[in-house]
Amino acid sequence: MSDPSWFPEELGHAGPEHLDPTYVAAWDTKAAWDPAEDVDLLLRGGIGRDSVVLDLGAGTGTFALAMAPRCARVIAADISPAMVEAMHSRSAGLPNVEVVRAGFLTYAAPAASIDAVFTRHALHQLPDFWKVVALIRIHRLLAAGGLLRVRDLFLSVRPADLDEAVEAWLAGATAVATTGWTRRELEAHLREEHSTFTWLFEPMLTASGFEIVGAERSPNGIYAAYTCRKR
Ligand SMILES: C[S@@+](CC[C@H](N)C(=O)[O-])C[C@H]1O[C@@H](n2cnc3c(N)ncnc32)[C@H](O)[C@@H]1O
């Protein structure tokens, strides 16, 4: 089935930097993250040798490459042609990694064909209305009891504490963009992207058919991660 005519063009929400091959080439050094904890969490949640795992907004494929030796197949989907190109290079020779150019609103597969969906720091590209549409689509893709692990900038602060929390976060930005995010980049994130609050996102998860079985919130109140099961 084709997507409704009222769906947005996802590339227009992808974040222009993610489409820039120079930025993408520097991504792994800039992001420098270890997916081991997320891989372990999925394994403990029952994902294993026979499982199919989908990473949405997979970037350069850091999670997908770490997950691949532990499951039957990983599908690494990203909307950015430059990210997809990077994943093709990194996954060459890995027969169980499938790289796809598609996004939260366009990735298509048979219903109930995926055992776990992972997504890190990508859902914030979509406004809240579209986050829910993305969650409904993920729910449809997952097999009964399937897992969703989502990490992102979800602010767990109370509205009254927002200014203080954001200023503290911005004050901890890195000085150079090569090994982290500068204050200018973090400010642009807040202005132009769509990070939401934990107390808004949690009802979105529940309303979309997920049971939240685990949640971690960063001490600075800026980041959160959820492990959810399809109800
Ligand atoms: C901040 S990067 C995170 C990449 C990767 N998940 C990581 O943690 O290293 C955000 C990624 O989301 C992708 N993206 C943006 N909008 C998207 C969409 N609608 N569907 C899928 N991917 C999207 C971008 O191209 C980019 O690769």
Side-chain angles (χ1 to χ4, degrees):
M1 201 177 84
S2 62
D3 295 324
S5 57
W6 45 272
F7 267 40
E9 170 47 64
E10 279 193 294
L11 213 47
H13 290 269
E17 71 279 21
H18 301 134
L19 311 182
D20 173 0
T22 308
Y23 185 90
V24 171
W27 175 263
D28 292 327
T29 308
K30 183 179 177 71
W33 72 284
D34 183 351
E37 189 191 323
D38 293 298
V39 171
D40 273 1
L41 200 136
L42 291 191
L43 296 176
R44 278 186 273 119
I47 297 305
R49 294 271 159 226
D50 299 328
S51 308
V52 178
V53 178
L54 167 66
D55 184 0
L56 277 170
T60 57
T62 300
F63 170 81
L65 295 185
M67 192 71 226
R70 317 299 298 272
C71 65
R73 187 159 71 101
V74 182
I75 304 150
D78 200 282
I79 201 69
S80 154
M83 290 291 189
V84 165
E85 179 75 33
M87 282 198 281
H88 273 303
S89 317
R90 282 182 92 191
S91 65
L94 295 176
N96 69 336
V97 178
E98 182 188 338
V99 176
V100 183
R101 195 179 90 73
F104 290 107
L105 307 178
T106 45
Y107 177 75
S113 62
I114 308 284
D115 298 297
V117 171
F118 177 75
T119 183
R120 176 183 182 269
H121 294 191
L123 201 55
H124 67 245
Q125 297 296 149
L126 298 177
D128 281 2
F129 175 90
W130 292 104
K131 284 188 187 73
V132 173
V133 175
L135 289 172
I136 295 166
R137 292 174 71 94
I138 290 169
H139 188 270
R140 204 175 292 143
L141 290 171
L142 281 171
L147 277 180
L148 167 63
R149 172 75 175 164
V150 52
R151 278 187 179 277
D152 216 314
L153 288 87
F154 295 121
L155 285 78
S156 56
V157 293
R158 293 181 310 153
D161 301 328
L162 183 62
D163 288 357
E164 199 183 330
V166 167
E167 285 303 335
W169 179 52
L170 295 175
T174 57
V176 288
T178 43
T179 52
W181 275 262
T182 63
R183 182 178 180 113
R184 207 164 137 229
E185 289 176 303
L186 297 185
E187 286 182 352
H189 170 87
L190 290 168
R191 229 179 2 252
E192 290 153 28
E193 299 181 351
H194 306 281
S195 281
T196 192
F197 294 95
T198 52
W199 36 271
L200 291 175
F201 188 63
E202 288 164 18
M204 290 185 215
L205 284 167
T206 309
S208 304
F210 291 100
E211 179 191 358
I212 300 170
V213 295
E216 301 110 64
R217 300 174 187 92
S218 65
N220 69 356
I222 304 292
Y223 302 88
Y226 295 95
T227 308
C228 310
R229 281 231 183 254
K230 175 174 176 161
R231 277 200 314 265

